[in-house]
Amino acid sequence: MVQLSPPPAVHWITDTLQKAGHDTWAVGGAVRDILSGHYAGDWDLTTQARPQQIEQLFKRTVPIGIEHGTVGVLARDGTLFEVTTFRRDVETDGRHAVVTFADTIEEDLARRDFTINALAWHPIEQKLLDPFGGLKDLEAGILKTVGVPEKRFAEDYLRILRAFRFAGRFDLRIDEASWKALCDGTEHLRGLSCERVRDELLKALDRHRIPSRTLSLYAKTGALGVLYPELDELRTVDHSVALNRWEFTLASIDELPPGNAFLRLAQFLHLLDPKKVVGILVRLRFSNAQTDETSQQASASPLPGLGADDQAIRRWLSSNSPERLNALARLELARARAHPSLRKTPSKVVDSWRRARLIRATGVPLSISDLAIDGNDLIRIGLRPGPNFARILEDLLDFVLTDPTQNERRVLKAHVEARLGAYEE
Ligand code: ATP
Ligand code: MG
């Protein structure tokens, strides 16, 4: 007997399916996480029942991925549990595995990628099923594919990136045969869809305490050069600078707390030329908003140092957008921590941050929306709306950034009127 103490709903769902005659097991992440002494994330169940049968047995269900055999079952407390019909791989093209339903848990476990992910636990019998020695590998700290590595990676090359992520997250050594096969397979990563590659990277950055472990596997195996050649260039040693740019990048990602993948992504890209940053984000099909925010964070200039006057700080806040202050300060603080001999020490970054926060809190005008007049006022002054409105407002912002006390309707109107001729050109 192996006791794993899952949430009560796991027992209830399993019991309901078992009583209807369908063999049902807890699988994957949660079983692995608990057995390796970690906190379990989502509990996933796998069952002999077909999706329709699952839907008939439970009052509240959500069709999460019926085509993959996954039905979401809502527990009384509102938690959603994924219940997936046993599956087997039938044919594959390296981009993703094609699956069909299977009749036994053994078949289902055999299609899973790594031995540590091919563990199943029976919530009623409290029995562990481990046909590929995943528990032993977990204890020995080894990541190994289920079955012949070359074959398993060729079925779905995303498994190469998944190997990096699991090895990094649990600090596992990738066994020799799997290592060789995945190094040989990196060229094929080009064939994967951008979205899968992107989501895998975000997962590696998101919750891990030390994401550099995963990212250095990308580098060591050549996957970085295939997927992110711009970042791979950081690894070339430049003897004119004291620090190794790649190592510095990794260390400064590790200094950011888990739970904010996008902040870590900005750090990952921060040493690249701004055009390359945008290039990578667009290529990975991030949304326009995500691309904009992340590239602005990655390419921002450092906070003004202690010698800067208030105006310099206002201008920095204005050009980087005041809402971005905390994110940018966190990024810079992590870099200062990762490389203590940088010009700005962590405590100096904190001082600059504090000062910028104080200035922002005074409510001084920092963006066009803070100006005492707007486009309608310009029309009332007699200007024709058009592209030059933006220029005029920028000009006014510049004026009040120099002296915030000038942010009054009367003063700004006079300022515009004095330049009417120039604006009308
Ligand atoms: P996480 O905690 O990151 O969610 P997980 O193990 O639950 O880890 P998922 O990606 O959610 O990972 O997948 C759930 C399970 O499905 C895995 O444990 C694995 O057994 C199987 N699996 C997922 N993707 C693949 C794949 N590409 N090839 C083979 N098996 C896979
Ligand atoms: Mg999961």
Side-chain angles (χ1 to χ4, degrees):
M1 274 219 336
V2 179
Q3 279 185 350
L4 299 186
S5 39
V10 167
H11 198 275
W12 162 67
I13 297 170
T14 312
D15 199 45
T16 309
L17 285 156
Q18 288 287 149
K19 286 198 173 121
H22 309 294
D23 196 24
T24 301
W25 297 74
V27 274
V31 181
R32 175 201 64 216
D33 293 354
I34 293 193
L35 289 172
S36 62
H38 292 78
Y39 172 78
D42 301 334
W43 281 81
D44 297 327
L45 296 166
T46 184
T47 180
Q48 204 176 18
R50 297 297 157 104
Q52 268 202 332
Q53 295 173 308
I54 304 170
E55 284 175 331
Q56 278 161 9
L57 281 167
F58 298 95
K59 262 204 215 95
R60 297 199 294 165
T61 62
V62 185
I64 304 182
I66 293 285
E67 68 285 6
H68 302 116
T70 304
V71 175
V73 175
L74 268 167
R76 206 166 300 152
D77 68 355
T79 326
L80 192 71
F81 289 86
E82 292 192 10
V83 183
T84 306
T85 306
F86 293 154
R87 304 186 309 185
R88 77 166 77 87
D89 284 336
V90 277
E91 55 175 281
T92 53
D93 54 9
R95 285 173 66 87
H96 49 77
V98 182
V99 293
T100 53
F101 296 140
D103 295 317
T104 63
I105 178 72
E106 284 80 8
E107 280 179 283
D108 185 274
L109 293 180
R111 76 168 169 94
R112 293 174 184 267
D113 44 9
F114 304 108
T115 61
I116 61 162
N117 286 345
L119 294 159
W121 179 73
H122 202 286
I124 311 289
E125 292 170 27
Q126 308 218 320
K127 187 176 101 181
L128 190 71
L129 187 62
D130 178 17
F132 304 102
L135 188 56
K136 174 177 59 60
D137 288 344
L138 208 50
E139 280 163 0
I142 292 174
L143 187 80
K144 211 190 263 179
T145 58
V146 168
V148 182
E150 287 79 8
K151 193 169 154 268
R152 299 314 310 280
F153 289 123
E155 284 168 1
D156 180 4
Y157 286 107
L158 191 78
R159 288 173 188 161
I160 293 178
L161 304 183
R162 290 174 55 86
F164 301 160
R165 175 156 61 89
F166 292 118
R169 170 148 154 224
F170 299 108
D171 202 9
L172 307 176
R173 188 171 61 75
I174 299 177
D175 101 303
E176 217 172 301
S178 299
W179 179 261
K180 187 176 175 308
L182 67 82
C183 288
D184 290 345
T186 52
E187 269 303 317
H188 296 281
L189 293 169
R190 284 184 214 288
L192 294 173
S193 77
C194 305
E195 289 82 357
R196 293 186 86 203
V197 169
R198 173 195 67 202
D199 292 348
E200 201 41 58
L201 178 65
L202 285 177
K203 281 186 192 170
L205 291 173
D206 190 20
R207 307 227 149 260
H208 299 190
R209 207 167 42 83
I210 312 178
S212 64
R213 288 204 294 239
T214 298
L215 299 173
S216 26
L217 290 170
Y218 274 75
K220 264 188 218 152
T221 55
L224 190 71
V226 173
L227 296 172
Y228 310 105
E230 303 91 333
L231 285 160
D232 203 41
E233 275 173 31
L234 297 178
R235 297 174 67 224
T236 52
V237 180
D238 178 354
H239 292 289
S240 67
V241 287
L243 88 178
N244 175 320
R245 294 176 304 159
W246 172 249
E247 310 252 302
F248 171 58
T249 298
L250 292 193
S252 50
I253 297 174
D254 284 348
E255 288 291 345
L256 290 166
N260 191 339
F262 281 94
L263 200 65
R264 281 173 161 181
L265 180 63
Q267 196 77 297
F268 197 25
L269 304 173
H270 91 275
L271 283 180
L272 300 181
D273 166 90
K275 272 197 202 120
K276 288 189 177 165
V277 173
V278 173
I280 291 184
L281 295 168
V282 168
R283 191 168 81 223
L284 290 176
R285 309 236 168 100
F286 280 107
S287 72
N288 290 345
Q290 289 167 331
T291 299
D292 184 53
E293 183 58 34
T294 305
S295 59
Q296 298 277 2
Q297 288 183 9
S299 308
S301 53
L303 282 141
L306 296 184
D309 60 11
D310 285 6
Q311 183 182 157
I313 296 176
R314 288 195 299 272
R315 289 190 178 275
W316 184 90
L317 282 167
S318 177
S319 64
N320 289 291
S321 152
E323 296 79 53
R324 223 167 261 143
L325 169 64
N326 289 342
L328 295 182
R330 277 193 195 101
L331 288 166
E332 199 174 332
L333 183 60
R335 295 199 285 267
R337 285 190 177 136
H339 203 278
S341 61
L342 275 185
R343 231 173 332 127
K344 228 191 273 170
T345 60
S347 78
K348 282 196 180 137
V349 174
V350 172
D351 287 344
S352 301
W353 185 358
R354 250 190 223 128
R355 220 176 128 208
R357 265 209 318 242
L358 276 176
I359 288 186
R360 190 181 63 168
T362 61
V364 288
L366 294 170
S367 52
I368 284 178
S369 58
D370 299 332
L371 290 173
I373 66 175
D374 60 15
N376 291 325
D377 294 306
L378 296 183
I379 294 171
R380 260 172 247 135
I381 292 172
L383 285 157
R384 259 176 289 123
N388 65 341
F389 267 37
R391 214 185 84 224
I392 298 171
L393 294 169
E394 286 293 344
D395 186 36
L396 289 172
L397 180 60
D398 183 73
F399 177 60
V400 302
L401 282 170
T402 313
D403 181 359
T405 63
Q406 303 295 309
N407 192 28
E408 286 181 35
R409 280 178 74 87
R410 188 181 46 79
V411 179
L412 297 188
K413 270 171 89 172
H415 185 85
V416 175
E417 276 157 358
R419 282 166 185 70
L420 267 184
Y423 290 145
E424 282 297 351
E425 270 163 27

